Structures are given as C-alpha cells and as structure tokens.
Amino acid sequence: MQRLSITPRSSEISGGHVSNTVPPVWFQDARLDICQAVSELNGENALFGVVRSAKYDYERELYFGSAVEIRTAIRKIGNSSVVFFQEAWQNQHRAVTAETVILLIDTVTGGPSTLSDPSRIFLKNLE
Amino acid sequence: MQRLSITPRSSEISGGHVSNTVPPVWFQDARLDICQAVSELNGENALFGVVRSAKYDYERELYFGSAVEIRTAIRKIGNSSVVFFQEAWQNQHRAVTAETVILLIDTVTGGPSTLSDPSRIFLKNLE
Amino acid sequence: MQRLSITPRSSEISGGHVSNTVPPVWFQDARLDICQAVSELNGENALFGVVRSAKYDYERELYFGSAVEIRTAIRKIGNSSVVFFQEAWQNQHRAVTAETVILLIDTVTGGPSTLSDPSRIFLKNLE
Amino acid sequence: MQRLSITPRSSEISGGHVSNTVPPVWFQDARLDICQAVSELNGENALFGVVRSAKYDYERELYFGSAVEIRTAIRKIGNSSVVFFQEAWQNQHRAVTAETVILLIDTVTGGPSTLSDPSRIFLKNLE
C-alpha cells in the first residue's frame, strides 16, 4: 500500500467542500508512479495507465485547509488489466473510495498487452 | 432523455485526448437543471444533488475540436435517491458512460429525505 | 477581430461567480486557431504560442448560466512576438480584458524566431 | 515575505510543462491566509480578496515532479487596495512572477472600503 499526501486547492472547493469531480484527479496522481514503473517493466512499446472504468463512493465530505491522504493498493491482477483500490482520508476519517481498472496497452497495435512476470511481482507487493 | 452540447477546453486535454477526470465535470453540468428542479419540487429544506457514488466506463477516447453531446436519463427512482444514466458522444460514437447515484438531503437534519410525488412524476418523464 | 462563445462550467464557479483564474483558460482557447495558423505560416520548426506575459483587468463579475463572448484582436506585431488584446463579454457588458504577449519560438534552437511576412499579413488582418 | 510549497498536479501539465493558466491558481492560494486576516482586521462587512487586475511574467517553464515554492510579499498599500508581488520558484530558479491588485470591499454597499490601521500594520510586516 502506498500513501500520498494532497493539499486541496481553493479552486477545488465548491459550496464549502471538495467537489465530487476532484478526488478522481488526486487518485490519478497517486497511481502515476506505479503506472510508470509497470510501463517500464513491460518493455518498449508498453503503456500502462489507460483507465477502462472507475467507480467512486463518496462517504463523507472533504474540506479545504487540511491535508488529504490518498492510500493506493492493488486489488486484482488480470491478464492485461489491473484493479486498483484507493481511499482518500482526511482528519482520521475515510471520505472517498475508488476502484479503477487500468489497462496495459501495446502502443504499436493499440490493443491490450499481457502483463510481464516482473510487473506482476512488482504489483503483488502493492496488494 | 436530455441532451447538452459541450465544447472541450484545451485545458481538459492531456496526451492528445480528453483526460479521464474531465467527463465527470461535464456529466455534473448536464445534471444541474434536473437537480435544481427536483430540489424545488421537494420544498424549502430539500437539496437534491449530493453524489453518493459514480461509475464511469471509458469506451473510446474523446478529442479536442469537436462537440461532445451529453445524454442524460433517469434509470431508477428510489426512496430518497435517484440513479442517473448518462452518455458522452462525439462524432456519432459513444465514448463514456456514467451511472451516478444522487441523494435528496434534508438541509436541516443533514439526513436523507423522501422524494415528493411531484418530483417522482417529473423524474419519470426523464426515464 | 474574432469571436468565440464560451459556456461557463459549474466547476469554474466559486462564491457565486466565475473565479479570476478561469478567464485565462478561455482567452487561451480563443487564441488557439490564430496560434496554429501563425505556426504554419512560419514553417517547419516554428511554434507560435508560448505566453511571455499576460495582464488581466477584471471590471465586472461573470456568472454561470449565460454565454460569454471572447473577442480577440491583434494589438501589435513585433519582431518575434505579438501582443493580443482580448475581451470577455456577458449580457452586453465587458467583464474582463487581457493583454497577452505571445512568442514565436524556433523549436530547434529553443530561442525566438522572426515572424515571416505571410504570418504578418495574416495577423494584420486581425488588428 | 511568506512561502508556500505547492506540488503540481498531473492535470495541471500540458505539453510537458505547467500550463500558463495554472500559476494564477497557485498564487491565489498563497494569498488566502493574508486575505482572510485583512478581512478580519477590517470588521464585519469587509471582504478583502477581489482581484482587480493581475499581471503575470513567464520567465521559465515549470515541470511536474518537483515542488514549487510560492513567495508572497506586499509591494504597495493603497487606500482601499493592495499590490501583491509573488514569485514561483522551482529547483532554485524563478519561473513566474505575479503582480496582483486586491480590493477591500464593503459587502453592504458593494463599493470599496478604506483599509483600517491594524490591517495596514499587518500588511506592512509582509513587505
């Protein structure tokens, strides 16, 4: 599990709390390092990062003025896709969860590519 | 079913196409009129618009330079929540779908409120 | 002078009106066509679009729910830079003006490049 | 002079570097504490924070993956307005400067209000 600290911007606030459209941006930033590592572990024409689907659950409101911790874990490793499970916490409360399906793409064919063994081992350690 | 035309901004583009974090903003704007009408049809302390959950499926990429049509329909009317189903189309292709659960809140108690009959009739017409 | 119609997004609203950080995004989109044309009129390694400076004057507030017209004109054509003057209008009132200095860059050297005669004629017509 | 550390978001990147429309958002966040303090030092119906004008100079590109320090100082204290001077630094280089004129508003009349002596003393210490 990885942790990233996010400071909400005033531009991300609407009606006194963080808009529901903002945590997807934070969750994406929290996946970036992992996506880059997996891309590299799959060789030259591999791109890991395309979002196939995303499901967000909003349990509490998030506010300006206090850091948000994004926790990122791998939930399931498929043939050419990976399910991420992420949480946004603020002041000891979980506020939003995200389940995201990320695809490994062959940038030459544009189609899906099979995850290499080194990338599977790397992802297993993040479960 | 309602239709709204959206022009992508250059700031919404990343790596040559619309970022996955952008359609949630467009879907929200396409729900605004309906949410305001339902709030009014539920009286003084009613607020319809809080997103409980959202599920996005990304089927194709969206690009800059061509209008996007957001289609909005009501899929299910619950006791105090409503399921919206929305689609983003560009150049005769469906690119993204969204299933969103929106809550009716009593702004005095902060808890859920039961949808009034007039608001149910209004929503039924958008199925 | 060119005109572009912009529909404010709900995400661009803060405290009941459009945030001061949003019109810069709209002004940029209204310059895009001109910047692309000037880049092409300067040949293969020319890029016209880098913002050297920008000055915004906020005269009135802008609101959600009503279209904004961006008017774009060329104020001054220099050796390797161009001064744009732009205005944002809503409901027959001018709300914001922008004066932006845009550079022509040689993408090989990274330094400034001299505007070609065809690009000067094109820009003159937009004064 | 005040310092605020900002972590660029991936959504703020365009074409490999931070878009010119993004630093205005960071500069605004870096002014927030000061604006709130000055509002309070001017009593009940005073609001300090409306941007009258803003001038940005872009000296270098800003990148993803490295913190940006926003330095905020007061340049001039007028009757009902204050000139802020701000800088964005990354990796020991100054990349962007901002000169912003912020107004003190009387929220009852909507017009400008005179800065109180305590707020002047507070602002003087930030020169």
Side-chain angles (χ1 to χ4, degrees):
Chain A
M1 202 244 281
Q2 284 199 346
R3 294 160 193 268
L4 176 72
S5 178
I6 292 273
T7 307
R9 305 237 195 286
S10 64
S11 59
E12 296 171 331
I13 306 303
S14 173
H17 53 86
V18 171
S19 171
N20 73 88
T21 58
V22 169
V25 177
W26 301 346
F27 288 126
Q28 171 151 284
D29 278 15
R31 291 189 307 263
L32 280 184
D33 279 353
I34 300 171
C35 285
Q36 199 175 340
V38 171
S39 291
E40 286 167 12
L41 290 168
N42 278 281
E44 220 179 313
N45 301 316
L47 177 67
F48 184 69
V50 172
V51 177
R52 178 62 186 81
S53 70
K55 167 88 164 68
Y56 304 101
D57 279 290
Y58 300 89
E59 300 173 349
R60 279 171 166 269
E61 289 183 351
L62 288 160
Y63 299 95
F64 187 74
S66 176
V68 174
E69 186 182 85
I70 306 294
R71 300 181 185 172
T72 299
I74 302 300
R75 180 162 270 183
K76 199 183 148 200
I77 305 169
N79 189 45
S80 59
S81 69
V82 176
V83 182
F84 282 72
F85 182 71
Q86 297 177 284
E87 300 172 315
W89 288 70
Q90 193 178 47
N91 301 326
Q92 276 77 53
H93 293 292
R94 189 173 80 171
V96 188
T97 66
E99 195 177 288
T100 321
V101 178
I102 308 295
L103 300 181
L104 179 68
I105 298 289
D106 181 322
T107 57
V108 177
T109 68
S113 185
T114 304
L115 287 155
S116 70
D117 285 343
S119 69
R120 286 171 188 281
I121 293 163
F122 172 80
L123 287 162
K124 265 242 161 283
N125 285 327
L126 296 167
E127 279 180 345
Chain B
M1 202 246 279
Q2 284 198 348
R3 293 160 193 267
L4 175 72
S5 178
I6 292 273
T7 307
R9 305 241 195 284
S10 64
S11 59
E12 295 170 332
I13 306 303
S14 174
H17 54 85
V18 171
S19 170
N20 74 87
T21 59
V22 169
V25 177
W26 301 346
F27 288 126
Q28 171 151 284
D29 277 15
R31 291 189 307 263
L32 280 183
D33 280 352
I34 299 172
C35 286
Q36 198 175 339
V38 170
S39 290
E40 286 168 11
L41 289 168
N42 279 281
E44 221 178 313
N45 300 317
L47 176 68
F48 184 70
V50 173
V51 177
R52 178 63 187 78
S53 69
K55 167 89 163 67
Y56 304 100
D57 278 291
Y58 299 89
E59 301 172 349
R60 278 171 166 269
E61 290 182 351
L62 288 159
Y63 299 95
F64 187 74
S66 177
V68 174
E69 186 182 85
I70 306 294
R71 300 180 185 171
T72 300
I74 302 301
R75 180 162 270 182
K76 198 183 149 199
I77 306 168
N79 189 47
S80 59
S81 69
V82 177
V83 181
F84 283 70
F85 182 71
Q86 297 178 283
E87 300 173 314
W89 288 70
Q90 192 179 46
N91 301 326
Q92 276 78 54
H93 293 291
R94 189 172 79 171
V96 188
T97 65
E99 197 177 286
T100 322
V101 178
I102 308 294
L103 300 181
L104 180 67
I105 298 288
D106 182 321
T107 56
V108 176
T109 67
S113 185
T114 305
L115 286 155
S116 70
D117 287 342
S119 68
R120 287 170 188 280
I121 292 163
F122 172 80
L123 288 163
K124 266 240 160 281
N125 285 327
L126 294 169
E127 279 180 346
Chain C
M1 203 245 280
Q2 283 198 347
R3 294 159 192 269
L4 175 73
S5 178
I6 292 273
T7 307
R9 306 238 194 285
S10 65
S11 58
E12 295 171 333
I13 306 303
S14 173
H17 53 86
V18 171
S19 171
N20 73 87
T21 59
V22 169
V25 177
W26 302 346
F27 288 125
Q28 171 151 284
D29 278 15
R31 290 189 307 263
L32 281 183
D33 280 352
I34 299 171
C35 286
Q36 198 174 340
V38 171
S39 291
E40 287 167 12
L41 289 168
N42 279 281
E44 220 178 314
N45 300 316
L47 176 68
F48 184 70
V50 173
V51 178
R52 179 61 187 81
S53 70
K55 167 88 163 67
Y56 304 101
D57 279 291
Y58 300 88
E59 301 172 348
R60 280 169 165 270
E61 289 182 351
L62 288 159
Y63 300 95
F64 187 74
S66 178
V68 174
E69 186 181 85
I70 306 295
R71 300 181 186 172
T72 300
I74 301 301
R75 181 162 270 183
K76 198 183 150 199
I77 306 169
N79 189 45
S80 59
S81 69
V82 176
V83 181
F84 283 70
F85 182 71
Q86 297 177 283
E87 300 173 313
W89 289 71
Q90 192 179 45
N91 301 326
Q92 277 77 53
H93 293 292
R94 190 172 79 171
V96 189
T97 65
E99 195 176 286
T100 322
V101 178
I102 307 294
L103 301 181
L104 179 68
I105 298 288
D106 181 321
T107 57
V108 176
T109 67
S113 185
T114 304
L115 286 156
S116 70
D117 286 342
S119 68
R120 287 170 187 282
I121 294 163
F122 172 80
L123 287 162
K124 266 241 161 277
N125 285 327
L126 296 168
E127 279 181 344
Chain D
M1 201 245 281
Q2 284 199 346
R3 295 160 193 267
L4 176 72
S5 178
I6 292 274
T7 307
R9 305 237 195 286
S10 65
S11 59
E12 295 170 333
I13 306 303
S14 173
H17 53 87
V18 171
S19 171
N20 74 87
T21 59
V22 169
V25 176
W26 302 346
F27 288 126
Q28 171 151 283
D29 278 15
R31 291 188 307 263
L32 280 183
D33 280 353
I34 299 171
C35 285
Q36 198 175 338
V38 171
S39 291
E40 286 167 13
L41 290 168
N42 279 283
E44 220 179 315
N45 301 316
L47 177 68
F48 183 69
V50 173
V51 178
R52 178 63 187 81
S53 70
K55 167 88 163 67
Y56 305 101
D57 279 291
Y58 300 89
E59 301 173 348
R60 278 170 166 269
E61 290 183 351
L62 289 159
Y63 299 95
F64 187 74
S66 176
V68 174
E69 186 181 85
I70 306 294
R71 301 180 185 171
T72 299
I74 301 302
R75 181 162 270 184
K76 198 183 149 199
I77 305 169
N79 189 45
S80 58
S81 68
V82 177
V83 181
F84 282 71
F85 181 71
Q86 298 177 284
E87 300 172 314
W89 288 70
Q90 192 178 46
N91 301 326
Q92 276 78 54
H93 293 292
R94 190 173 79 171
V96 189
T97 65
E99 196 177 286
T100 321
V101 178
I102 307 294
L103 301 180
L104 179 68
I105 298 288
D106 181 321
T107 57
V108 176
T109 67
S113 186
T114 304
L115 286 155
S116 70
D117 286 341
S119 68
R120 286 170 188 281
I121 294 163
F122 172 80
L123 287 162
K124 267 241 162 281
N125 285 327
L126 296 168
E127 278 179 346

